[in-house]
Structures are given as structure tokens and as C-alpha cells.
Amino acid sequence: RLWRDLATLRQHANLRSLAAWGTPGNNVGTALAHARLSLAGADPLRQDALLAREYANDVIYSAGVRAALRKAVPEAELNTPAGQARLLEIARESFPLRVGLTYTLADAALPWGRSFEWDFRLEGR
């Protein structure tokens, strides 16, 4: 709901990080990455791309896609071509994502054959 409200108010682009959304170790890494981008005077599009990636991981996947995937595919079958294809199919339903640019999901996989984490690639336009 917060993200929807920020998007409605057109304020989501003012965020520099989603560092409070994950585990402490991830938060430090995320905060440092954003600090580096901010202090270096990075291109705002690169900052948006990083924020889009974090949102796709922390909100789209962790809060939605993972649960849907677990309902659709038994854990033992996630490392199969059919399981990986189903991941991509389910995840694409949550895109496009607009954070500055509009991001589509180009590819997604479960690198360890389990639903805890995913590997994915976004394309911005």
C-alpha cells in the first residue's frame, strides 16, 4: 500500500533506498550501495535501476511471487525446467514496474533450486 500511495503522489522517485525492507546484513549493503551512488553524483537513472531491482526482489518476489510459486510448484520440482518456467510465468504477472523508467522482467531463475531466493534481470525503457 505504501508503494501505491507513493506512486500516486509521484514521490517514489525521491526515495534513495529500500534499505529498511530486508535483513540487517542486506540493509547495510543496500544502504552503502545507495550512499556510494549518491555521493558519487551517479546518474539518477542508475539510482532508479537499483531501486527497481530492490523493489522487484524485496516486494514483488519476497512478498508475492514466492508464495504463488510455492502454491503452484512443489519445492522438489523447482529445480526442473518446468519449475523454472513457471517461476518466470508467475513473476511476469507483476510487471511492468515503473520507477523512473518502466521495467520489464527479462529473465528469472532459482539459482539454488529452492524458492528462498531468485536471480532475475530487469530491462528498463
Side-chain angles (χ1 to χ4, degrees):
R1 180 171 177 212
L2 170 65
W3 193 260
R4 256 194 332 266
D5 291 348
L6 287 172
T8 299
L9 296 170
R10 302 179 83 55
Q11 294 299 309
H12 60 285
N14 293 332
L15 296 177
R16 293 202 183 255
S17 175
L18 287 178
W21 288 56
T23 60
N26 291 342
N27 294 348
V28 171
T30 299
L32 290 174
H34 277 281
R36 174 72 174 110
L37 284 172
S38 294
L39 294 174
D43 180 345
L45 290 177
R46 290 184 66 201
Q47 287 179 295
D48 287 349
L50 181 57
L51 186 59
R53 181 163 179 81
E54 290 167 15
Y55 184 83
N57 187 57
D58 293 345
V59 178
I60 292 175
Y61 184 75
S62 295
V65 171
R66 180 173 32 214
L69 181 64
R70 286 177 174 169
K71 285 181 185 176
V73 181
E75 193 79 19
E77 296 176 21
L78 290 175
N79 206 21
T80 67
Q84 299 279 337
R86 188 73 174 116
L87 163 67
L88 193 54
E89 181 182 313
I90 292 170
R92 281 196 170 138
E93 293 173 7
S94 298
F95 290 87
L97 168 63
R98 180 152 170 72
V99 180
L101 299 177
T102 299
Y103 292 89
T104 56
L105 182 63
D107 195 21
L110 301 169
W112 311 113
R114 60 184 191 156
S115 63
F116 185 73
E117 65 271 314
W118 70 328
D119 186 23
F120 62 99
R121 187 169 50 87
L122 300 178
E123 288 181 350
R125 291 174 218 206

